[in-house]
Amino acid sequence: MILTPRQISAMTAQHDAAILSQPGGSLSVGKRLTPKPGPNDVLIEVKAVALNPCDYYQRDYGIPPVAIYPAVIGCDAAGVVAKLGLNVTLSKHFSFIIYITASLKHHNLVKKLRADVVFDYKNSNVVSQIINTVKMDWIKLHTAHCMMNDALQPTLNVLKKIKDDVSVKVTHSAFLPEGHSTFDNMQIAFVMPFMNEVMQSKHMKEVFCGWLHSDLKSEEIVPSLNIQIEGGALGGVHAALDKLNSGVSSTKIVVSV
């Protein structure tokens, strides 16, 4: 986050943070200036952070890109509202039908997490199963998002069978492999997170104040069943990320700060 002199002058307090000084570096605890929320912002006093694979990718390789160092990384946090901006309101609610691919040993877990349909991605007929289910559910599937290279071709196979005559759009978070497949009337693009702060804020508001807020309240979404709490507060985040990187299954690693 790049702060203007006006923003810096509006800060009156400091807070502790796990700070990344450079790509591939170690997280170290230091002080950061605490901003006052603008009219459309919420200031959260973080009490715990949950770790994700994207966190150690960002720490170790700078992917997703970090705008400026030193930086505070991470995307999952829980806490209490410290201050509200004057214009803060809840966004509109969203409704989804959720299809998930997972290994057989995780099917019961993702069903408890309110997946509508779960497919075994190791099944040789998984593409046909998805196509048949989409047709039975009368779903119009014209867009897709891929997070791994291995998912691109099966995704294209599904879309090609059910796209009708409309254009298809596919976004791909991993770098697109050279010579990747395509077909007529389809757009495919490599995407990165928003670097613009306004767009970041808009996206996060839609996610957390919109569909996530309502679905957690109605229990359409429930937290992960296995939570592993690591100690060390902010000073333990770096080691906890290493533990996550070494491999965990169906478990959410949380650090209380």
Side-chain angles (χ1 to χ4, degrees):
M1 180 178 181
I2 302 175
L3 301 177
T4 66
R6 183 185 297 273
Q7 289 174 310
I8 293 175
S9 66
M11 298 176 184
T12 59
Q14 291 184 326
H15 61 273
D16 291 329
I19 300 171
L20 182 66
S21 60
Q22 61 185 19
S26 298
L27 295 172
S28 59
V29 179
K31 295 291 185 181
R32 301 277 284 192
L33 293 172
T34 304
K36 292 183 179 179
N40 299 314
D41 298 331
V42 177
L43 183 64
I44 303 295
E45 183 182 351
V46 175
K47 299 296 186 180
V49 294
L51 306 183
N52 295 279
C54 64
D55 296 334
Y56 60 74
Y57 272 102
Q58 195 167 45
R59 179 195 65 177
D60 297 341
Y61 309 111
I63 300 173
V66 176
I68 189 171
Y69 291 91
V72 176
I73 62 173
C75 56
D76 276 4
V80 296
V81 176
K83 292 182 180 179
L84 289 176
L86 295 176
N87 300 330
V88 174
T89 58
L90 291 180
S91 184
K92 65 179 182 179
H93 294 172
F94 294 90
S95 179
F96 297 95
I97 294 177
I98 303 173
Y99 293 170
I100 292 181
T101 58
S103 59
L104 281 175
K105 66 179 181 179
H106 293 147
H107 276 208
N108 288 336
L109 171 63
V110 294
K111 287 178 181 177
K112 290 178 181 178
L113 296 175
R114 301 299 193 269
D116 293 294
V117 186
V118 185
F119 303 96
D120 179 11
Y121 64 83
K122 296 181 180 179
N123 190 308
S124 59
N125 295 319
V126 65
V127 170
S128 298
Q129 292 173 355
I130 295 174
I131 291 171
N132 292 335
T133 303
V134 168
K135 290 180 177 179
M136 286 190 297
D137 288 344
W138 293 83
I139 300 297
K140 298 293 185 181
L141 191 60
H142 303 140
T143 60
H145 177 67
C146 296
M147 299 184 67
M148 300 178 65
N149 286 334
D150 292 344
L152 179 58
Q153 189 58 55
T155 300
L156 297 181
N157 292 342
V158 170
L159 291 172
K160 190 173 183 179
K161 289 289 186 180
I162 60 177
K163 72 180 186 66
D164 299 324
D165 294 326
V166 300
S167 62
V168 170
K169 295 182 179 180
V170 178
T171 55
H172 201 267
S173 289
F175 288 107
L176 282 168
E178 293 184 7
H180 63 80
S181 299
T182 185
F183 52 81
D184 292 339
N185 210 17
M186 186 200 75
Q187 300 176 35
I188 183 169
F190 167 66
V191 294
M192 295 189 298
F194 293 116
M195 299 303 290
N196 178 278
E197 287 187 25
V198 174
M199 295 303 297
Q200 286 178 348
S201 297
K202 181 180 179 181
H203 174 71
M204 297 300 284
K205 182 178 180 181
E206 290 175 348
V207 171
F208 290 102
C209 296
W211 68 267
L212 182 59
H213 177 273
S214 61
D215 283 1
L216 283 171
K217 187 175 182 179
S218 66
E219 296 188 347
E220 285 295 314
I221 296 176
V222 296
S224 174
L225 300 183
N226 302 313
I227 299 176
Q228 180 175 319
I229 299 177
E230 296 292 324
L234 284 173
V237 173
H238 188 81
L241 275 178
D242 287 339
K243 184 172 292 187
L244 176 64
N245 193 12
S246 68
V248 297
S249 181
S250 302
T251 299
K252 194 68 170 177
I253 294 181
V254 175
V255 180
S256 176
V257 299

